[in-house]
């Protein structure tokens, strides 16, 4: 049974939502457009960091108010994020506030415990206040897969629907230079982007729907090679957060090619691989031009601008590709990931 309707009028989608801090407001807009299209059902959502936040907001809203409830939940979350920002920039200014820039410089020398001895975390307060985790664990209308990274091994940890909590979602978004390590059942976790951004395989193995829509916030190809120390550090972080996703997608592309050349009878896994269809909505043209520091910009005008862009991208994508859903991929795996 799919969460939005027991008998979906059209194709069902699985969603893979990348992380990217404030840039996740672009995904808010994508989800808003998908929810507004009643032809589409959603079965599973895999999310990392900001993608995890969007995923649980989506599920919470669907649980308590259907499509319109999910749209409200997403809006409430991002509005609260902007309102809780400790350092504000003037309206219309996407640059980081001077105080926040200074704090980021301190992260090179001070631990999160030293920077924030009282462990103040507005995001924790927002997530705890807005998301009904008990309700989701008991009766989530969609399957959820939230990625975090085990800090002492680098292994990926997927928190599934029945394991969800405030800490699980915060772990997925825990940048260790800024936030204190999140401990769950005695184990330490950091941002899921270090091990999956996002994890696609749960949607492949644990969902029925054959269409997977990737909502990408990181460029698949970057601009000129950086030469300043700051830009090099930024590029290294971006590459680190992209590497596991690129490796996983390359695997799917390679297996699809291998399957096409095979003369052996298809088993259950091979049949699933043959029928899986990949799609993507990318913010590369927009977000690829923004400074990396804007991922920490919680200016409401900036977030709304990203939301509107995400909604427009999604509406355009649906207009061009809706007919392909349930029929064929619209993403060239080999061309993008080989």
């Amino acid at each position: 049974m799919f969460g939005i309707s027991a008998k979906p009028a059209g194709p069902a989608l699985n969603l893979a939502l990348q992380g990217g801090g404030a840039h996740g407001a672009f995904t808010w807009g994508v989800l808003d457009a998908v929810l507004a299209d009643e032809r589409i059902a959603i079965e599973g959502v895999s999310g990392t960091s900001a993608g995890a936040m969007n995923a649980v907001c989506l599920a919470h809203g669907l649980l308590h108010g259907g499509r319109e409830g999910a749209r409200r939940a997403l809006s409430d979350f991002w509005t609260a994020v902007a309102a809780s920002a400790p350092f504000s920039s003037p309206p219309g200014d996407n640059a980081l506030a001077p105080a926040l820039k200074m704090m980021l410089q301190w992260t090179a020398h001070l631990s999160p415990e030293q920077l924030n001895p009282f462990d103040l975390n507005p995001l924790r307060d927002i997530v705890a206040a807005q998301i009904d985790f008990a309700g989701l664990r008991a009766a989530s209308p969609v399957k959820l897969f939230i990625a975090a990274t085990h800090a002492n091994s680098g292994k990926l940890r997927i928190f599934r629907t029945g394991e969800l909590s405030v800490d699980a979602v915060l772990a997925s978004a825990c940048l260790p230079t800024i936030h204190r390590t999140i401990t769950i059942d005695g184990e330490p976790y950091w941002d899921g982007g270090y091990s999956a951004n996002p994890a696609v395989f749960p949607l492949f193995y644990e969902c029925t729907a054959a269409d997977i829509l990737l909502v990408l916030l990181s460029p698949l190809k970057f601009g000129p090679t950086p030469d300043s120390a700051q830009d090099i550090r930024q590029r290294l972080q971006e590459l680190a957060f992209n590497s596991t996703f690129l490796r996983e997608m390359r695997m799917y592309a390679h297996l699809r090619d291998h399957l096409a050349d095979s003369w052996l009878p298809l088993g259950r896994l091979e049949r699933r691989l043959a029928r899986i269809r990949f799609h993507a909505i990318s913010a590369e043209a927009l977000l690829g031009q923004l400074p990396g520091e804007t991922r920490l910009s919680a200016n409401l005008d900036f977030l709304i601008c990203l939301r509107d862009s995400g909604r427009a991208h999604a509406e355009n994508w649906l207009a061009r590709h809706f007919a392909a859903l349930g029929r064929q991929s619209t993403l060239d795996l080999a061309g993008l990931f080989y």
Side-chain angles (χ1 to χ4, degrees), residues 160-235:
R160 289 167 171 79
T161 311
E163 305 170 295
L164 289 180
S165 65
V166 174
D167 281 342
V169 177
L170 291 178
S172 186
C174 177
L175 290 173
T177 58
I178 299 175
H179 304 116
R180 294 190 183 193
T181 299
I182 302 296
T183 302
I184 301 174
D185 297 330
E187 299 295 333
Y189 293 99
W190 287 346
D191 196 293
Y194 296 112
S195 55
N197 191 27
V200 179
F201 68 87
L203 304 174
F204 177 83
Y205 288 109
E206 301 182 39
C207 294
T208 301
D211 289 274
I212 297 177
L213 175 62
L214 311 172
V215 183
L216 306 180
L217 303 181
S218 297
L220 293 176
K221 186 175 182 179
F222 296 95
T225 305
D227 52 17
S228 73
Q230 179 179 349
D231 290 344
I232 289 171
R233 285 194 297 270
Q234 180 63 44
R235 178 66 57 83

Side-chain angles (χ1 to χ4, degrees), residues 42-291:
I42 300 171
E43 181 184 6
V45 187
S46 179
T48 295
S49 195
M53 302 294 169
N54 281 317
V56 296
C57 288
L58 170 74
H60 168 89
L62 288 173
L63 177 66
H64 291 287
R67 292 176 181 271
E68 288 306 313
R71 298 175 76 182
R72 286 194 301 272
L74 287 160
S75 178
D76 289 346
F77 171 78
W78 286 102
T79 301
V81 167
S84 69
F87 307 108
S88 299
S89 300
D93 184 358
N94 299 335
L96 294 187
L100 181 53
K101 286 187 176 182
M102 183 178 297
M103 190 201 76
L104 292 177
Q105 293 173 352
W106 290 344
T107 62
H109 308 285
L110 301 175
S111 71
E113 287 78 5
Q114 293 170 315
L115 281 172
N116 185 6
F118 298 106
D119 195 21
L120 302 176
N121 190 340
L123 186 59
R124 175 186 291 276
D125 298 337
I126 293 169
V127 173
Q130 295 194 2
I131 307 299
D132 176 11
F133 285 100
L136 291 180
R137 290 193 297 269
S140 175
V142 294
K143 298 175 183 178
L144 292 169
F145 308 96
I146 303 304
T149 303
H150 189 270
N152 291 345
S153 68
K155 291 181 179 180
L156 169 65
R157 169 70 189 274
I158 297 292
F159 292 95
R160 289 167 171 79
T161 311
E163 305 170 295
L164 289 180
S165 65
V166 174
D167 281 342
V169 177
L170 291 178
S172 186
C174 177
L175 290 173
T177 58
I178 299 175
H179 304 116
R180 294 190 183 193
T181 299
I182 302 296
T183 302
I184 301 174
D185 297 330
E187 299 295 333
Y189 293 99
W190 287 346
D191 196 293
Y194 296 112
S195 55
N197 191 27
V200 179
F201 68 87
L203 304 174
F204 177 83
Y205 288 109
E206 301 182 39
C207 294
T208 301
D211 289 274
I212 297 177
L213 175 62
L214 311 172
V215 183
L216 306 180
L217 303 181
S218 297
L220 293 176
K221 186 175 182 179
F222 296 95
T225 305
D227 52 17
S228 73
Q230 179 179 349
D231 290 344
I232 289 171
R233 285 194 297 270
Q234 180 63 44
R235 178 66 57 83
L236 286 172
Q237 181 174 328
E238 291 169 335
L239 292 177
F241 270 50
N242 263 6
S243 61
T244 52
F245 170 72
L246 294 176
R247 189 177 304 118
E248 184 179 6
M249 295 309 299
R250 180 183 174 89
M251 178 197 71
Y252 289 118
H254 177 74
L255 290 175
R256 290 285 288 267
D257 286 350
H258 179 74
L259 186 64
D261 295 335
S262 176
W263 51 268
L264 295 173
L266 300 184
R268 183 175 64 86
L269 183 62
E270 289 82 1
R271 290 195 298 272
R272 172 67 172 167
L273 184 62
R275 63 187 289 264
I276 205 75
R277 295 177 289 271
F278 285 102
H279 316 275
I281 295 175
S282 172
E284 186 163 346
L286 170 68
L287 300 183
Q289 299 177 7
L290 293 175

